[in-house]
Amino acid sequence: MTETIQNSVISVLIEDESGALARVVGLFSGRGYNIESLTVALVDAEQKLSRITVLTSGTPMVIQQIKAQLKRLIPVHDVCDLTEEGPYVGRELALVKVVSSGERRTEALRIADSFRARPVDTTATSFVFELTGSPEKIDAFIELMRSLGLAEVSRTGIAAIGRGPSVFHLNKEPV
Amino acid sequence: MTAAERDAGTGNEALNGAEVLLRVLDEEGVEVIFGYPGGAVLPIYDALFKQDRIRHILVRHEQAAVHAAEAYARSTGKVGVVLVTSGPGATNAVTGLVDALMDSIPLVCLAGQVPTKLIGNDAFQEADTTGITRPATKHNYLVREPGTLAQTVREAFEVARSGRPGPVLVDLPKDITVGKAPLTKPALSRLQRLRHQGGPDASAIARTLEAMKTAKRPLFYTGGGIINSGPEASDLLRRLARKTGFPVTSTLMGLGAFPSPDPQFLGMLGMHGSVEANMATHGCDLLIALGSRFDDRVTGRVDAFSPNSFKVHADIDPSQIDKIVPVDVRIEGDVRDTLEALLEGWGETPARDLSTWWNQIASWRSVDGFGFTQDMTPSAIIRPQHAVRRLYELAKETGRDTFVSTEVGQHQMWAAQHFQFDKPNRWLTSGGLGTMGYGLPAAVGAQVAHPDALVIDIAGEASTLMNIQELGTIAQYRLPVKIFILNNHYMGMVRQWQELLHGSRYSQSYSEALPDFVKLAEAFHATGMRATHVGELDDVIRRMLAHDGPVVADICVAEGENCYPMIPSGAAHNQMLLGPDQDSEAAGLTEEGKMLV
Ligand SMILES: Cc1ncc(C[n+]2csc(CCOP(=O)(O)OP(=O)(O)O)c2C)c(N)n1
Ligand SMILES: [Mg+2]
């Protein structure tokens, strides 16, 4: 068994009931698993299902455990390891506030443009840029903004979905 | 007619939530509840008062209610039910819930809660019970709508007993139990998806059978899962062992699934397991784990655990497989089904010639790791092992169905080593959590479930004080429980570790200022007995067994006795300490091991 630490993106379909998120988060903290990022939102209002995307890391044995432990939670309908099951798209949204003037302000705008980051709020001395992309792309953007007046960052953590026509969806028997 | 009454859909009667609750419990086959009243559950107690189908056993502490329900569940195969009030009632129950979670015991704990409108206001006796018990239960619920009450309670039972069993808590705000609620018809379970579909994987069974047909040194390593699966699983295990001729070892929790006096049984494995069980685990070439979970008390040093074996792990909880020890074949599902499939697959294949393996086992067995010598001079000090042996032998002579609970410590291990079981569900002990104070209330639960049986709590003097108030419950319900205290004046297990790992500095482990247990018994309307020397032992045991009421027997045993064999934490199975004279370093006692528990 290799001891290499791997990153995994895990999707969880969970009933949207009070305490459900606490169960997931408590599982991670109680068993000492990592959460690099976690996003959650209702995705099926009719069936009252939320989808959680967790970016986690661990040895292959730990990743297996995380999935198995998640499946034990009663409100969890399904768990899917996107990293393992094939190519997926992972996107994160960031709001980045840059406060600067003169050269630095123009430079910030120029770089934002090349990242396809949109200014969603503009004042004489500041911008709030909205940027979506992989976490790496957002990291790179923030890095570049550092010398250009980076003031504040808000990120969502990634939401992810598998590529291609196959679906990870409701009422599928647990694997 | 109010809306709630109309919704009730039960004709003209309109029930309140408490009554609906009791109706559902009745539907679920509940006969006994262990509980303790308080403000938030008064409506439920009122409803209990007005009916006579469900019996309520009033304990003296909520922790004890849970342990009693655990023992009730484990000894009957039914779901145990607990009723506690909000706040302190619920928090007192937490230890028991975690105990049940660790040992996979099906329970439903009904907790009172402040009215929904007051939740979050730091109301009197409010606690965030669902928050506190989230990691202490298999699942928990807070009932917020009267309309969901009945179905939630039904679901709680389903969750508790399905798959790997466990404790479930239902938090019941007072307005829900006071107000009208509909007794809804059982709905199709939304938990269908949780049920394991079909039997064990056929190819996994085939690979296991193939390994069974070629292994030279096979071993069954069985656990509490066999007990949980029901008596049929124990029966199938016995048949499979007979057919194959393989040796069987068991975890602490699995004792009784296979008859301990049977020559094919190697005894318990693990930290205080038998020499033959541990050496066989270390030396086998095929290890078949059945309803066991590679607990650290079993494996010792994980990277040295059963190093040369092909490993099969059958468990109902997939998360247990490959958790600690990577295995070659995984079989998910009820162990009963797995055993059946293996038995069927084995068919009429004659038992293999395993004589070399059995000869090897015989030589390990001849070490007699559980052996001890008792000086039989009447004035000699009683050795605790001897006391357990005599208890077993004399209890057996009575021919009565016997249930044994234990507290936690050396006496627990001596009980596991020296008391023999030939039926499942008779051995009640706190394995995963190791909860001192389990045994006395567990004896209460077992005796309530089996009024005519012989129920014995093999206790330590320190542990038993942790729930000694239950002597009150025992007196109230005239439960003829026998509390057999191996009184060594020490928290013996702690003292043993201090001797071995901390230079014999017995920090806080002496049982100072003990009560006079005989007088204590009398104060609680029970009979007290004492044996101070070996010459008195048999007589005390006989009188205890013959007495038809509760007995506390204070058995004064050797103070310095250690429990052997012992695999020190962090050591491997072939590095057992066999007795006091052995060099502890050679036995794998390391600084690193000291860090472990
Ligand atoms: C609630 C709880 N507290 C502390 C411990 C740690 N502990 C394990 S065994 C033991 C001593 C038990 O003493 P006793 O009941 O006299 O049994 P003995 O070992 O002497 O047979 C202690 C303190 C525990 N298991 N449970
Ligand atoms: Mg003691």
Side-chain angles (χ1 to χ4, degrees):
Chain A
M1 204 46 57
T2 76
E3 281 304 297
T4 49
I5 304 284
Q6 65 183 60
N7 280 324
S8 274
V9 176
I10 295 172
S11 270
V12 183
L13 276 181
I14 186 166
E15 273 163 46
D16 174 46
E17 59 180 30
S18 97
L21 183 60
R23 286 180 209 284
V24 172
V25 175
L27 172 69
F28 275 79
S29 65
R31 293 188 181 265
Y33 306 144
N34 288 324
I35 298 182
E36 313 278 345
S37 87
L38 184 146
T39 62
V40 56
L42 191 70
V43 291
D44 184 335
E46 201 178 308
Q47 293 208 48
K48 290 205 184 139
L49 287 176
S50 292
R51 180 162 176 152
I52 297 176
T53 309
V54 203
L55 176 59
T56 183
S57 61
T59 61
M61 214 158 147
V62 167
I63 300 290
Q64 280 309 116
Q65 263 298 298
I66 292 175
K67 290 183 279 183
Q69 293 291 349
L70 282 168
K71 284 183 192 169
R72 288 176 76 195
L73 299 178
I74 305 295
V76 166
H77 279 232
D78 208 351
V79 176
C80 171
D81 183 341
L82 289 169
T83 309
E84 193 182 79
E85 301 223 332
Y88 68 92
V89 199
R91 288 289 181 272
E92 183 173 6
L93 182 142
L95 296 170
V96 179
K97 185 176 284 186
V98 175
V99 181
S100 58
S101 56
E103 280 287 281
R104 287 161 77 224
R105 181 173 161 88
T106 355
E107 180 64 0
L109 199 59
R110 200 188 59 75
I111 291 176
D113 195 47
S114 73
F115 273 77
R116 293 206 199 119
R118 286 192 309 131
V120 288
D121 177 73
T122 308
T123 70
T125 53
S126 69
F127 288 117
V128 173
F129 294 115
E130 178 197 300
L131 171 67
T132 56
S134 67
E136 294 73 29
K137 174 177 163 185
I138 291 170
D139 288 345
F141 181 74
I142 291 168
E143 210 38 58
L144 286 168
M145 287 298 126
R146 234 172 255 291
S147 59
L148 303 174
L150 179 73
E152 200 180 331
V153 179
S154 179
R155 303 172 64 152
T156 58
I158 74 165
I161 201 159
R163 290 184 186 270
S166 69
V167 287
F168 153 65
H169 208 22
L170 332 176
N171 305 331
K172 207 175 106 183
E173 281 307 316
V175 263
Chain B
M1 195 154 68
T2 67
E5 282 164 344
R6 252 196 330 274
D7 288 346
T10 50
N12 35 26
E13 55 181 333
L15 304 176
N16 69 19
E19 289 159 345
V20 166
L21 173 70
L22 293 188
R23 291 279 187 101
V24 175
L25 296 185
D26 193 23
E27 272 173 30
E28 292 291 333
V30 175
E31 290 166 13
V32 183
I33 296 178
F34 299 90
Y36 205 94
V41 284
L42 283 179
I44 303 174
Y45 276 86
D46 200 42
L48 272 169
F49 189 85
K50 294 182 198 149
Q51 57 87 54
D52 57 3
R53 291 184 59 83
I54 298 176
R55 193 172 167 214
H56 179 274
I57 302 291
L58 177 68
V59 293
R60 298 300 186 267
H61 187 295
E62 291 86 350
Q63 181 192 352
V66 187
H67 293 323
E70 284 184 89
Y72 180 92
R74 192 131 184 108
S75 68
T76 60
K78 296 189 207 160
V79 177
V81 182
V82 178
L83 173 58
V84 297
T85 193
S86 66
T91 56
N92 269 349
V94 171
T95 302
L97 293 173
V98 180
D99 194 89
L101 183 70
M102 294 289 268
D103 286 343
S104 313
I105 311 288
L107 290 187
V108 170
C109 178
L110 306 161
Q113 182 55 280
V114 301
T116 34
K117 282 210 183 69
L118 292 185
I119 290 178
N121 282 339
D122 301 318
F124 178 62
Q125 295 197 326
E126 177 182 359
D128 176 8
T129 301
T130 46
I132 291 167
T133 60
R134 207 171 280 130
T137 53
K138 182 175 173 188
H139 194 55
N140 62 18
Y141 300 87
L142 171 62
V143 179
R144 290 172 179 280
E145 302 287 337
T148 61
L149 174 65
Q151 192 57 23
T152 302
V153 176
R154 289 190 188 105
E155 196 177 294
F157 277 86
E158 188 180 354
V159 171
R161 63 165 84 92
S162 67
R164 179 180 177 183
V168 179
L169 180 134
V170 186
D171 211 13
L172 299 162
K174 197 170 180 180
D175 53 324
I176 300 287
T177 49
V178 170
K180 300 283 179 249
L183 180 64
T184 50
K185 298 248 151 51
L188 187 68
S189 166
R190 53 179 203 125
L191 299 179
Q192 220 76 342
R193 64 189 160 80
L194 296 177
R195 299 227 178 98
H196 194 86
Q197 309 287 336
D201 180 62
S203 75
I205 294 290
R207 288 175 65 205
T208 306
L209 284 164
E210 202 181 292
M212 286 167 71
K213 286 176 183 166
T214 51
K216 295 192 170 67
R217 301 183 306 281
L219 178 65
F220 289 122
Y221 147 46
T222 63
I226 310 245
I227 311 280
N228 272 333
S229 184
E232 213 185 321
S234 296
D235 190 50
L236 289 163
L237 170 67
R238 291 162 194 224
R239 282 163 55 198
L240 185 64
R242 270 320 151 258
K243 285 231 160 176
T244 56
F246 292 3
V248 180
T249 181
S250 165
T251 67
L252 181 73
M253 295 312 292
L255 292 176
F258 197 77
S260 15
D262 192 291
Q264 264 176 272
F265 189 59
L266 308 190
M268 173 175 81
L269 83 167
M271 187 173 272
H272 293 292
S274 75
V275 172
E276 55 271 35
N278 285 331
M279 293 304 285
T281 308
H282 193 80
C284 66
D285 66 352
L286 171 63
L287 185 73
I288 303 179
L290 298 164
S292 47
R293 61 177 175 93
F294 297 87
D295 177 84
D296 55 69
R297 283 294 177 275
V298 160
T299 60
R301 210 177 96 201
V302 173
D303 60 6
F305 175 76
S306 193
N308 302 312
S309 58
F310 184 84
K311 296 181 183 69
V312 178
H313 190 179
D315 206 286
I316 199 162
D317 177 359
S319 76
Q320 298 308 303
I321 307 178
D322 281 334
K323 182 178 75 172
I324 291 164
V325 172
V327 296
D328 301 285
V329 178
R330 53 187 301 146
I331 308 177
E332 293 173 16
D334 190 328
V335 72
R336 196 209 74 90
D337 301 339
T338 298
L339 283 163
E340 195 163 56
L342 290 175
L343 202 58
E344 198 184 294
W346 186 270
E348 292 312 311
T349 314
R352 306 262 320 286
D353 174 16
L354 299 169
S355 53
T356 321
W357 182 222
W358 276 111
N359 287 339
Q360 172 71 73
I361 290 170
S363 79
W364 288 324
R365 208 171 238 165
S366 69
V367 174
D368 192 14
F370 294 164
F372 62 92
T373 28
Q374 171 68 54
D375 177 355
M376 289 308 291
T377 321
S379 62
I381 291 182
I382 303 167
R383 297 190 70 176
Q385 303 92 321
H386 177 70
V388 176
R389 283 261 172 111
R390 289 307 290 154
L391 177 66
Y392 165 64
E393 285 157 5
L394 295 172
K396 197 172 168 208
E397 277 179 17
T398 67
R400 296 175 64 192
D401 196 7
T402 304
F403 293 76
V404 173
S405 70
T406 74
E407 307 288 341
V408 170
Q410 291 179 320
H411 62 277
Q412 178 189 27
M413 293 299 117
W414 285 317
Q417 293 175 345
H418 298 282
F419 211 98
Q420 314 272 307
F421 295 93
D422 56 10
K423 284 194 201 125
N425 305 89
R426 294 332 187 247
W427 167 245
L428 311 163
T429 197
S430 168
L433 197 62
T435 311
M436 289 171 70
Y438 169 86
L440 209 166
V444 168
Q447 191 81 75
V448 166
H450 311 275
D452 300 324
L454 175 60
V455 178
I456 307 170
D457 169 25
I458 299 183
E461 82 294 339
S463 296
T464 204
L465 285 177
M466 284 210 180
N467 271 320
I468 197 73
Q469 76 287 343
E470 295 311 311
L471 285 174
T473 311
I474 286 169
Q476 179 175 346
Y477 299 95
R478 300 173 194 276
L479 303 172
V481 163
K482 317 298 179 211
I483 298 145
F484 190 75
I485 304 176
L486 298 179
N487 186 346
N488 54 8
H489 287 94
Y490 273 100
M491 297 171 197
M493 192 56 95
V494 173
R495 194 203 53 72
Q496 173 166 351
W497 281 54
Q498 289 173 331
E499 180 185 329
L500 297 176
L501 296 155
H502 298 279
S504 298
R505 289 177 295 280
Y506 299 133
S507 180
Q508 304 295 319
S509 55
Y510 183 66
S511 286
E512 199 75 58
L514 283 173
D516 178 330
F517 283 107
V518 173
K519 286 188 185 154
L520 184 71
E522 287 161 4
F524 277 100
H525 323 288
T527 303
M529 298 179 184
R530 178 173 293 123
T532 49
H533 299 100
V534 77
E536 299 163 346
L537 180 68
D538 280 18
D539 179 53
V540 166
I541 297 177
R542 281 207 176 88
R543 282 193 292 126
M544 174 183 90
L545 296 175
H547 187 67
D548 61 2
V551 176
V552 178
D554 183 16
I555 311 297
C556 305
V557 297
E559 291 191 358
E561 193 78 45
N562 284 341
C563 184
Y564 293 112
M566 176 178 184
I567 303 174
S569 291
H573 278 194
N574 58 350
Q575 297 178 302
M576 259 170 290
L577 276 171
L578 291 177
D581 310 326
Q582 201 182 336
D583 176 11
S584 53
E585 247 149 70
L589 235 156
T590 59
E591 278 304 308
E592 221 175 298
K594 268 198 207 179
M595 307 255 281
L596 303 170
V597 286

